Amino acid sequence: MQIRDIAIRTTPFSTGTWLDESKVSTPMSWYPQYSERRSTWRGPGGDLVWIYITTDDPKVFGIGQTRGGAVTAALIEHHLRPLLLGAPALERTRTIEQLYRAALPYAAGGVLSMGLSALELALQDLAARALGVPLVTMLGGEPGPIPYYLTCPDTRAIPDLDTQLVEDALTVKIPMRFGPADGVAGYAQNLNDVAAVRDLLPDHTSVSVDCFMSWDIPYATAFAQDARSLGVLWIEEPLLSDDFAGYAELRARVHPIQIAGGEHIFGLNDALRFMDNRCVDVVQVDVTWCGGLATASTIGTIAAARGLRFAPHGAAMHPWAVHLLGAMGPARLAEVLVGLGHPAAVPKPSLEPGVGIEPFLIGFS
């Protein structure tokens, strides 16, 4: 069975929503002209890229997804797609290695990792469909509910959430609106935001905060000290993703509050360095960015062996990640995003063949 064609489609992820148009602390918050809204600097990087691989067997196909919009789509369309045409459809490991080597001289890093992820996920889906089984079954797991936490970009949605959904969540994560560039007033408002959410939750449900690579060590250290009484479980992505030494230092400083991160870590080697340097307690690589399912599975297995929690970024929105978590051990956690049109529910793998997405649902015919 050979690959017949690869179709590519880009769609907006969160254009015009609260997530893009309200103030959230970001890596660009240091620059006043970009500090108020992500839409001022994000470009196509947030757009979804969908992949639809067909074979010479019309019943066997695969669907994958990543981000990076037109940038990632151009790499796939103009370089990787021609290399895939006519390739054996079930030799995914060898195929992905070939694509990696072909683009490495000029595209190493995030864009290449995103492009490979979309294609690898589609080939994983294709392989499970060829067997006629759910992806979780092919991976050696079983369908069923997965432990989760909630991410609430707009905290006004929390009171309207299903009570049991909140009760069973490990933690409720909120974005921090302010960072060091916003001074003392912004720092105080961050603490007030955490306190306000804390009052909305059951006593056993903690609060966590997402900093989107926009803080520094002194700021995060002070915040951890002041937020300890509010029951904060983890501080997520406080530093730039390649600051391994900084993460290790901060993790030691803020214990027992945990450090989470890794969604902007691309590829197995950097993920291993991230863990080798004792940067985090919660490993959050994105299955649709890090290189695909095989890479994420290896990272998750190593994380569990080291006593770390494996919580892929945006997992409940990514059916490939949900199927993977269904095949992993107890040190796993799915992220459930509240709002942005995504239904908040306990995540569990589909029982349909592959990942359970049909082409017409995402605009492919």
Side-chain angles (χ1 to χ4, degrees), residues 346-357:
V346 177
K348 53 185 177 181
S350 164
L351 298 177
E352 298 298 319
V355 296
I357 301 176

Side-chain angles (χ1 to χ4, degrees), residues 38-109:
R38 281 200 283 188
S39 58
T40 60
W41 59 267
R42 206 173 187 191
D47 290 344
L48 294 172
V49 179
W50 289 95
I51 298 296
Y52 176 41
I53 296 180
T54 54
T55 71
D56 47 20
D57 181 343
K59 296 181 180 179
V60 179
F61 58 87
I63 293 173
Q65 184 203 91
T66 189
R67 297 275 278 278
V71 178
T72 306
L75 170 65
I76 298 171
E77 175 69 34
H78 297 295
H79 191 176
L80 304 183
R81 178 180 176 274
L83 299 176
L84 275 168
L85 296 176
L90 298 179
E91 292 185 7
R92 57 187 180 277
T93 301
R94 183 169 182 266
T95 298
I96 293 299
E97 175 66 17
Q98 289 175 343
L99 299 180
Y100 170 78
R101 288 173 179 266
L104 188 61
Y106 72 95

Side-chain angles (χ1 to χ4, degrees), residues 10-326:
T10 61
T11 61
F13 172 63
S14 58
T15 303
T17 67
W18 186 95
L19 188 61
D20 275 328
E21 300 304 325
S22 295
K23 183 175 178 60
V24 178
S25 190
T26 78
M28 296 290 278
S29 294
W30 296 91
Y31 308 102
Q33 69 269 38
Y34 299 117
S35 64
E36 294 302 312
R37 302 187 313 278
R38 281 200 283 188
S39 58
T40 60
W41 59 267
R42 206 173 187 191
D47 290 344
L48 294 172
V49 179
W50 289 95
I51 298 296
Y52 176 41
I53 296 180
T54 54
T55 71
D56 47 20
D57 181 343
K59 296 181 180 179
V60 179
F61 58 87
I63 293 173
Q65 184 203 91
T66 189
R67 297 275 278 278
V71 178
T72 306
L75 170 65
I76 298 171
E77 175 69 34
H78 297 295
H79 191 176
L80 304 183
R81 178 180 176 274
L83 299 176
L84 275 168
L85 296 176
L90 298 179
E91 292 185 7
R92 57 187 180 277
T93 301
R94 183 169 182 266
T95 298
I96 293 299
E97 175 66 17
Q98 289 175 343
L99 299 180
Y100 170 78
R101 288 173 179 266
L104 188 61
Y106 72 95
V111 173
L112 176 56
S113 186
M114 287 181 172
L116 292 177
S117 295
L119 295 168
E120 197 264 7
L121 294 175
L123 291 173
Q124 295 275 6
D125 180 30
L126 186 155
R129 291 179 193 268
L131 292 172
V133 299
L135 180 57
V136 65
T137 302
M138 189 183 81
L139 297 174
E142 296 181 358
I146 294 168
Y148 64 92
Y149 72 96
L150 301 177
T151 292
C152 298
D154 186 346
T155 58
R156 292 172 297 183
I158 294 176
D160 297 326
L161 293 175
D162 178 78
T163 301
Q164 195 61 52
L165 188 72
V166 177
E167 286 273 353
D168 293 342
L170 175 68
T171 190
V172 173
K173 185 181 75 182
I174 62 171
M176 292 285 87
R177 294 187 289 157
F178 305 97
D182 298 299
V184 174
Y187 179 87
Q189 188 57 58
N190 280 339
L191 289 171
N192 289 340
D193 288 347
V194 173
V197 172
R198 170 68 275 159
D199 288 342
L200 297 174
L201 302 177
D203 291 342
H204 68 273
T205 303
S206 64
V207 184
S208 293
V209 299
D210 187 351
C211 313
F212 196 6
M213 301 188 290
S214 65
W215 288 6
D216 55 28
I217 292 176
Y219 192 97
T221 302
F223 179 87
Q225 180 63 40
D226 291 336
R228 194 161 292 168
S229 63
L230 298 173
V232 170
L233 179 60
W234 75 58
I235 299 173
E236 181 173 318
E237 257 200 327
L239 310 176
L240 294 176
S241 60
D242 60 354
D243 187 4
F244 293 170
Y247 268 100
E249 178 182 344
L250 181 61
R251 184 187 180 204
R253 284 189 180 199
V254 304
H255 182 79
I257 290 180
Q258 298 176 8
I259 296 295
E263 70 181 81
H264 292 102
I265 295 291
F266 302 108
L268 179 59
N269 289 337
D270 279 349
L272 291 175
R273 289 177 58 204
F274 201 55
M275 291 186 284
D276 287 345
N277 282 275
R278 302 178 185 274
C279 293
V280 289
D281 304 277
V282 183
V283 180
Q284 296 177 310
V285 295
D286 191 306
V287 168
T288 70
W289 302 350
C290 72
L293 212 60
T295 298
S297 176
T298 300
I299 294 168
T301 300
I302 294 171
R306 299 183 181 190
L308 307 175
R309 193 185 301 274
F310 181 56
H313 171 247
M317 294 187 298
H318 304 147
W320 310 268
V322 174
H323 283 267
L324 174 61
L325 290 172

